[in-house]
Amino acid sequence: MLEITAKLPTKKLLIRRVLAKLFQSYIYTALDDKEHHGYKHSNGKVFKAMNFKIAYIDTRIDAKFVALNPDNEKIVAQKILLEGLKLGEICLSNTTVSIEERNSQISSSVRLGGFVSAAIKDGVGSKRKIYLEPRSEKFQQILHNNTLQKYEALFGNPYEGELDIKLINQKPKPKMFHYSKGVIKAWYGVYEISGNSDILRMILDTGMGADTMKGVGFVEILKQREVKNG
């Protein structure tokens, strides 16, 4: 996992609502075009083999970037160190980066926390989405199917083995994530997930649910205290 911190001269940069889009674009410029295009499942869905989360707090931008191929994390880190972090026309030179190995913490079962998104269309032919709460049965069904389809798209073979995704806790209020001109609604949830090491690593390195390269779906391994406070 690549961790990025950029110190800013002001709290008033007018980029909060487009921050995820700008950072996504920066990542794509650093990597091979195939990572931008993604990996297509036989049903037509396209999945990305990476994910990120980013926040603008006071005079600081904090971001975390993960990729199924760890070389892609190194490529992005090198680009930032050599050129600075560029968000649109803004180049942030006062930036630090570090790489953390977190996959060594994976066992056959992990507890993860994050803002995960799943939605259904509001009627036939409608472009409007209805975002679902993690505690709903439909959300859990979508999340499970999405994870299996992503595995098949990224690894080239159907997943064989146990996959159990259990919601432990959900925060009552959703958070709104801005991407381009749209808004994504997601609830923070704590999940206990059982599966083989490949699929657990995939979840950590590519995220969960929908919109995982739009600043949503990033999950992290939780300590016991964090689980209780979920």
Side-chain angles (χ1 to χ4, degrees), residues 71-130:
D71 287 342
N72 286 334
E73 296 177 10
K74 296 176 184 177
I75 290 170
V76 173
Q78 289 171 352
K79 183 176 177 67
I80 293 173
L81 290 172
L82 291 173
E83 304 174 13
L85 175 61
K86 189 173 183 181
L87 299 174
E89 298 301 316
I90 303 169
C91 187
L92 306 172
S93 57
N94 192 1
T95 305
T96 60
V97 299
S98 62
I99 293 180
E100 174 190 343
E101 170 54 56
R102 61 177 185 164
N103 288 343
S104 60
Q105 303 175 50
I106 292 176
S107 60
S108 59
S109 179
V110 291
R111 285 199 175 187
L112 307 175
F115 288 92
V116 179
S117 172
I120 56 175
K121 289 184 178 180
D122 185 17
V124 178
S126 173
K127 293 184 179 181
R128 181 176 177 270
K129 292 181 178 180
I130 299 174

Side-chain angles (χ1 to χ4, degrees), residues 3-158:
E3 297 188 67
I4 306 158
T5 299
K7 294 182 180 179
L8 309 176
T10 177
K11 301 178 182 180
K12 299 179 180 180
L13 287 180
L14 301 178
I15 59 173
R16 294 182 190 275
R17 288 177 177 263
V18 294
L19 187 58
K21 176 69 172 178
L22 293 176
F23 187 70
Q24 180 205 61
S25 298
Y26 181 84
I27 295 296
Y28 286 152
T29 62
L31 302 177
D32 191 281
D33 284 347
K34 69 179 181 180
E35 301 300 345
H36 184 184
H37 299 319
Y39 300 80
K40 185 178 286 188
H41 187 265
S42 58
N43 64 9
K45 281 186 183 178
V46 176
F47 296 93
K48 303 298 174 69
M50 52 193 170
N51 196 21
F52 71 88
K53 74 173 184 177
I54 190 165
Y56 181 5
I57 304 168
D58 292 328
T59 57
R60 196 178 75 243
I61 288 177
D62 292 322
K64 294 183 179 182
F65 171 70
V66 287
L68 193 61
N69 180 353
D71 287 342
N72 286 334
E73 296 177 10
K74 296 176 184 177
I75 290 170
V76 173
Q78 289 171 352
K79 183 176 177 67
I80 293 173
L81 290 172
L82 291 173
E83 304 174 13
L85 175 61
K86 189 173 183 181
L87 299 174
E89 298 301 316
I90 303 169
C91 187
L92 306 172
S93 57
N94 192 1
T95 305
T96 60
V97 299
S98 62
I99 293 180
E100 174 190 343
E101 170 54 56
R102 61 177 185 164
N103 288 343
S104 60
Q105 303 175 50
I106 292 176
S107 60
S108 59
S109 179
V110 291
R111 285 199 175 187
L112 307 175
F115 288 92
V116 179
S117 172
I120 56 175
K121 289 184 178 180
D122 185 17
V124 178
S126 173
K127 293 184 179 181
R128 181 176 177 270
K129 292 181 178 180
I130 299 174
Y131 289 95
L132 306 171
E133 294 192 41
R135 62 167 62 99
S136 72
E137 183 178 346
K138 187 64 176 177
F139 178 101
Q140 295 171 36
Q141 179 186 355
I142 291 173
L143 183 60
H144 189 271
N145 291 341
N146 179 276
T147 304
L148 292 176
Q149 291 166 6
K150 180 189 284 189
Y151 181 96
E152 187 170 349
L154 298 187
F155 288 91
N157 295 295

